[in-house]
Amino acid sequence: MYEGKRVREVGQIFKCDMEKGLSSAEASGRLKQYGKNLLQEKKNKGRIALFLEQLNDPLIFILFVATAVSLLLGEAGDAAIIITVILVNALVGMIQEGKARKAIEALKQLTSPHAVVKRGGRQMEIAAQELVPGDIVCLEAGRQVPADLRLTKTMSLKIEESALTGESVPGEKDAGFLAEGRTDIGDCKNMAYMSTNVTYGRGEGVVVATGMETQIGKIAGMISETKEEMTPLQKRLADLGKVLSGVAVFICIFLFVVAVLQKRDVGDMLLTAISLAVAAVPEGLPAIVTIVLALSVSRMVKVNTIIRRLPSVETLGAVDVVCSDKTGTLTQNKMTVKKCFADGRLFSAEELEENRQRELLRGCTLCNDAILEEGSRIGDPTELALLELAGKYGMKRERVEGSYPRIDEKAFDSDRKMMTTLHKGGQGKIAYTKGSCEEVLKRSSHILINGRKQPMTESIKREVLQAAAQMAAEALRVLAIANKEDAIVPEERELTLLGLVGMIDPARPEAKEAVAAFRQAGVDTVMITGDHVDTAFAIAQELGIATRKEECLCGSDLDRMEEGEFDQVAERVRVYARVSPEHKVKIVNALKKKGKTVAMTGDGVNDAPSLKAADIGIAMGMNGTDVAKNASDMILTDDNFATIRKAIEEGRGIYENIRKSILFLLSSNFGEIITMLAAILAGLPSPLKASHILWINLITDSLPALALGVDENDGGELMKQKPRRNNESLFAHGGLSCTLCFGMVIAVISATAFLQVPYQALVSRGLPINLHNLEVMLGIPELLNKAQTHAFTVLGMSQLFHAVGMRDVNKSIFRMKLFSNGYMILACVIGISLQVLVTEIPYFVSLFGTTRLSLSEWGCLAALSAVPLVVHELLLLGGTAEQDSQEKENGRTKFSAEREVS
């Protein structure tokens, strides 16, 4: 807005004197009118509201019903367990809340605490929060910009804006610049923005925006307004909760109708119906999912990843687009000299010869204001790159300046595009100049080739310009270095060109491999940066992200597109350049509309809104701002883009484990339901008591389910698969058939164990075996208790065997590494021990209404419980036979085709 207005116009708009500033009275009045220069905070939810929010979940509602049922049945212990499950889930959820609040607090910490202003014709330092529109602010190197300013004076002013724009090189500022039309933040040379840092020169500017009206304020608003979305797993669990709620209600109604039709006692059937409804719900599921995710967080730390939001762990497995910031993520955020031109040839920086290019290295060292010491990097990134180049060849600035002390200088400015320093040498004074290739070349009358000065001919000049153009084509920033011997003042004429250096913020070496690995795993990489399109494309091409310039899109082009038009091209674009924070959010949202699960990486303030808008925001831990970290879901502790690949591999494994746990629990519950429904429809008593179901669902099942949740997966195989769709059902890829199949198996063997007792009683009495006689036998309390104990024991133990097979439904247990999952072995040992506990220890026998079993009964029931493993192996044998048959058929077809061709 103000970048297109002249200084005089801005002064008229804000009614301020550019030389004297505002009066104290006027400033005080405007402070009341505009408010303090602070970022507003969104009203925080209270702890009670946060706690209640965690309980708004269908599965939690069912757990409340289960608690009520347990109390109704007098099972206070089970009720206490369920309530504990609910509390654990709610407390974990509360810990994850408040990220937007933290992000805004971090933004507040970024703002400058003090500012130098002109008030009533005097310069004074005031608290930055007291700044008002119309104040005249004085800037100098080392200060942070305290508000958004329209610059009125600039003296070699450079401002580092990477946290806001993504550009790694400080931008030159020019108060005389006038923007035409809409201009990107990074191109507004006459503006300075709140929270950016002055790296060089001095300047003055008039405050045009404070607080939430500043660019950083708008980002704060975007963070607080972005709604938290459910992860794919949370959505699937919510859907599952609704389905299970419906099943529970249907069962209650169905059994009530059955009671009326069979003329049973309605009260007894109601209790049975409630027991069945409890059987339909895996009460331990929410706690198991939470614990598995929490355990996986410690595993993620091993791959240099800190998870801030627990459900985000599994979201990683569904990621099919990684939108990455360029600076500091794909690149090293450190300008590095890659190529040099000297002695008439262009070569890589590694090929530089100290003896032949000593004078070039000396120029890089002396015409330089940066400080490069161990553990300290201060100054312009381009100057630091020059010092690093010279330092590789043992040329340290302190030592060189000891021999060539600086006695005068001519600072860089945007008109000359050069900087010159004058030094006292052993053979008189010597000046060194660095700057734009075109400008230095204009002022050069000679060139140094192989240590000898030669006249600058037109052919040599063409060679120099051709070398510069070649480096520029590779997106290198080109600087020329020259000197002038016997100089009296730091003059810039009749120079001797020493050479050219081309530098860039280089790609991280490991990023290229990560991009290739993503491609194999079906994950697209998209670069989003505030940098220039040529620089962005050069890095993207090097990394294999983009191959054609047509795959790049600028922020200005994005602004001209209609929303629907952009949605159409969003999937094809691989590089976005010169983009603003708003653009980044727009890009993320467009990809999400296409059904993509989007991960966004970043380290700057400008990345925070898009980090929060993405399905999973990934911040850099070492060089990332606090704002980016607090807006993210996970943090890379090593700032390594390649770590994301490891994290996605872990995420896929974690989702697969959670899915196995859920299918295991549901198949077990399905077995319970079928067992009870079949018995009741046949007119027989219930094979299981409600306390038996709750014990199995909360205790016996939970341990192997947790063991499945921490199982090891073949990461290499997982990363060869395409990402799952974000709307993919938990029952996809054979999950439903697995659940139904093993549920039926468990139901059959549980029913067999239940009917075995009355069957043996009828056989021993010589009575005919029919449904009526079975019902009569089960009417005897002792026999019913024994039958229920058998069903309870088989149901509990069969699920332990079933859990072993669920580790990999596509692999025989004889090919599994059975001892690689120590938790599963422990779960089986504890599970069997607990089952023995409730049937053999008098107190628990009385509590659960079971009967003690003989050794032969244990052997028989154990054999029956192992049937799910037998079925597991038979299914695999059937699948292998079918596959072999198909391969033989394909072989015959291929042989026939080859013979026909012959």
Side-chain angles (χ1 to χ4, degrees), residues 834-850:
L834 288 172
Q835 205 59 43
V836 171
L837 186 80
V838 295
T839 56
E840 302 302 323
I841 304 300
Y843 172 76
F844 290 101
V845 167
S846 172
L847 188 67
F848 285 89
T850 56

Side-chain angles (χ1 to χ4, degrees), residues 63 84-86 88-89 283-293 706:
L63 289 182
T84 302
V85 168
I86 293 171
V88 167
N89 277 281
E283 284 83 5
L285 180 58
I288 287 166
V289 170
T290 301
I291 293 167
V292 168
L293 289 174
L706 280 172

Side-chain angles (χ1 to χ4, degrees), residues 202-250:
R202 300 187 309 280
E204 290 182 8
V206 58
V207 176
V208 294
T210 58
M212 295 301 287
E213 297 302 313
T214 62
Q215 289 296 323
I216 199 172
K218 290 173 184 174
I219 293 173
M222 289 167 68
I223 294 173
S224 60
E225 288 164 14
T226 304
K227 292 180 180 177
E228 199 76 69
E229 291 193 11
M230 294 172 74
T231 68
L233 179 63
Q234 286 176 315
K235 291 174 184 174
R236 300 292 79 78
L237 288 176
D239 293 341
L240 179 64
K242 291 170 186 173
V243 170
L244 293 176
S245 301
V247 168
V249 171
F250 171 77

Side-chain angles (χ1 to χ4, degrees), residues 617-766:
I618 306 171
M620 301 296 117
M622 294 169 69
N623 296 316
T625 60
D626 287 342
V627 182
K629 290 174 189 174
N630 287 326
S632 69
D633 299 297
M634 59 179 270
I635 299 168
L636 304 182
T637 57
D638 60 355
D639 284 15
N640 190 337
F641 183 76
T643 300
I644 302 171
R645 191 203 70 79
K646 297 176 190 172
I648 287 178
E649 183 182 313
E650 281 290 328
R652 288 186 177 187
I654 288 160
Y655 177 81
E656 189 61 30
N657 286 346
I658 290 174
R659 182 173 172 272
K660 285 190 292 191
S661 296
I662 291 171
L663 294 180
F664 163 72
L665 290 171
L666 291 179
S667 58
S668 302
N669 283 46
F670 182 63
E672 293 168 11
I673 293 170
I674 297 300
T675 303
M676 293 183 71
L677 266 180
I680 291 163
L681 291 175
L684 300 174
S686 173
L688 296 165
K689 297 177 181 179
S691 58
H692 297 169
I693 295 167
L694 285 167
W695 174 263
I696 291 170
N697 287 4
L698 286 167
I699 307 298
T700 314
D701 274 2
S702 298
L703 295 172
L706 280 172
L708 285 171
V710 295
D711 205 13
E712 289 183 14
N713 290 286
D714 187 341
E717 283 300 314
L718 286 173
M719 289 304 283
K720 289 177 184 175
Q721 300 170 11
K722 297 292 181 187
R724 72 178 192 275
R725 298 187 307 277
N726 57 13
N727 61 347
E728 183 178 288
S729 167
L730 288 165
F731 299 106
H733 309 297
L736 181 60
S737 57
C738 175
T739 302
L740 297 177
C741 172
F742 284 101
M744 287 299 298
V745 170
I746 290 168
V748 169
I749 60 175
S750 298
T752 301
F754 178 66
L755 295 173
Q756 183 185 12
V757 174
Y759 173 81
Q760 288 176 343
L762 289 172
V763 170
S764 65
R765 288 172 172 79

Side-chain angles (χ1 to χ4, degrees), residues 239-366:
D239 293 341
L240 179 64
K242 291 170 186 173
V243 170
L244 293 176
S245 301
V247 168
V249 171
F250 171 77
I251 286 172
C252 288
I253 296 171
F254 177 74
L255 285 186
F256 182 79
V257 172
V258 169
V260 173
L261 293 176
Q262 292 184 347
K263 297 180 181 178
R264 291 195 180 204
D265 183 274
V266 175
D268 289 343
M269 281 299 284
L270 182 60
L271 285 175
T272 304
I274 292 172
S275 299
L276 254 179
V278 170
V281 181
E283 284 83 5
L285 180 58
I288 287 166
V289 170
T290 301
I291 293 167
V292 168
L293 289 174
L295 289 172
S296 67
V297 167
S298 60
R299 287 172 62 176
M300 298 292 278
V301 170
K302 295 176 183 176
V303 291
N304 301 312
T305 305
I306 295 172
I307 300 296
R308 297 190 65 253
R309 184 168 172 254
L310 211 55
S312 300
V313 177
E314 60 82 22
T315 311
L316 280 164
V319 166
D320 45 18
V321 179
V322 175
C323 293
S324 177
D325 181 45
K326 177 183 74 68
T327 307
T329 308
L330 292 170
T331 65
Q332 299 173 24
N333 198 17
K334 186 175 74 173
M335 293 297 283
T336 304
V337 176
K338 303 297 284 184
K339 287 196 173 180
C340 300
F341 175 82
D343 295 331
R345 65 188 183 93
L346 184 64
F347 50 89
S348 72
E350 285 75 23
E351 297 172 33
L352 192 145
E353 298 175 35
E354 182 187 355
N355 293 331
R356 295 181 65 183
Q357 280 89 43
R358 178 171 290 277
E359 193 62 16
L360 173 64
L361 293 172
R362 190 177 289 134
C364 292
T365 308
L366 293 174

Side-chain angles (χ1 to χ4, degrees), residues 359 361-369 387 397-410 419-434 481-491 498:
E359 193 62 16
L361 293 172
R362 190 177 289 134
C364 292
T365 308
L366 293 174
C367 191
N368 202 312
D369 286 330
L387 289 182
R397 184 179 164 187
E398 299 80 13
R399 192 165 64 246
V400 178
E401 280 195 337
S403 304
Y404 293 84
R406 186 185 298 190
I407 54 176
D408 201 357
E409 66 181 89
K410 199 171 185 178
M419 169 187 176
T420 301
T421 57
L422 184 65
H423 301 265
K424 185 178 180 182
Q427 298 176 350
K429 296 176 183 177
I430 185 168
Y432 287 96
T433 299
K434 79 166 186 292
I481 311 293
N483 72 3
K484 182 177 175 64
E485 295 175 341
D486 300 321
I488 299 171
V489 292
E491 56 186 321
L498 303 175

